[in-house]
Amino acid sequence: MPAKPPLPTTQSTAQLQALGTQLRARRKALRVNSTAAAEAAGMSRVTLHRIEKGEPSVAAGAWANAVAALGMSLVALNAEDVHATRPESANGPDLPNWIPVRVRLADYPQLKALAWQVHGTDVLTPVEALGIYERNARHLDTEAMSAAEQALLQALRTGLRSATSDTTDV
């Protein structure tokens, strides 16, 4: 009889749920349905759904395939190095390929000025934010942009343009 797997800790369960949420948000930002994403990752739609919920019983290989299929990478960090590698400051995360799940207009003044026609919400999806930046590029004052907003725009351009073109070939 095989040994029972160890029960996940509260911390690891929370981390898997956060990763699952991030994967789902990335899939939605790319406008890829769950069936297509699951097929690209070589798994069933049910398995992808379980990953997006953060279930720890899903095989690590399936998690890695889902991450890769969405154009992301899986990186393990020492707990002590997390703050040194990913400083959370007023400028936001310092990651070259970082794309937030939601873009708060209040955090990005240039985007807020360009999104004057958006009513009833204070947050945008990454795809919506990139669309507003690109449609209104002629009005964008790059010198007035904070370092965080420049990093956001660069990450959106890098991550969403390449990921969108990759998924259209699948």
Side-chain angles (χ1 to χ4, degrees), residues 19 40 44-46 50 59 80 92 95 97-99 107 113 115 118 131 143 149 158-159 168:
L19 179 58
S44 71
R45 185 185 52 77
V46 172
R50 291 177 58 216
E80 300 85 29
L95 295 173
N97 296 321
W98 172 80
I99 297 177
D107 294 341
V118 177
E143 282 88 38
E149 190 161 9
T158 302
T168 56

Side-chain angles (χ1 to χ4, degrees), residues 59-119:
W63 279 89
N65 286 350
V67 167
L70 293 170
M72 301 170 75
S73 62
L74 192 57
V75 177
L77 300 173
N78 292 328
E80 300 85 29
D81 296 338
V82 170
H83 296 294
T85 305
R86 188 176 168 200
E88 298 287 338
S89 66
N91 293 334
D94 186 24
L95 295 173
N97 296 321
W98 172 80
I99 297 177
V101 174
R102 295 278 179 228
V103 179
R104 287 179 13 136
L105 291 173
D107 294 341
Y108 305 102
Q110 287 288 310
L111 178 60
K112 185 175 181 176
L114 296 175
W116 59 268
Q117 76 283 7
V118 177
H119 300 288

Side-chain angles (χ1 to χ4, degrees), residues 110-159:
Q110 287 288 310
L111 178 60
K112 185 175 181 176
L114 296 175
W116 59 268
Q117 76 283 7
V118 177
H119 300 288
T121 185
D122 294 331
V123 295
L124 302 172
T125 67
V127 172
E128 292 169 335
L130 180 60
I132 289 171
Y133 275 127
E134 290 188 337
R135 282 191 308 274
N136 299 293
R138 66 186 179 277
H139 302 294
L140 192 59
D141 184 2
T142 54
E143 282 88 38
M145 290 176 77
S146 67
E149 190 161 9
Q150 288 176 357
L152 171 71
L153 180 55
Q154 183 61 38
L156 291 173
R157 285 178 173 160
T158 302

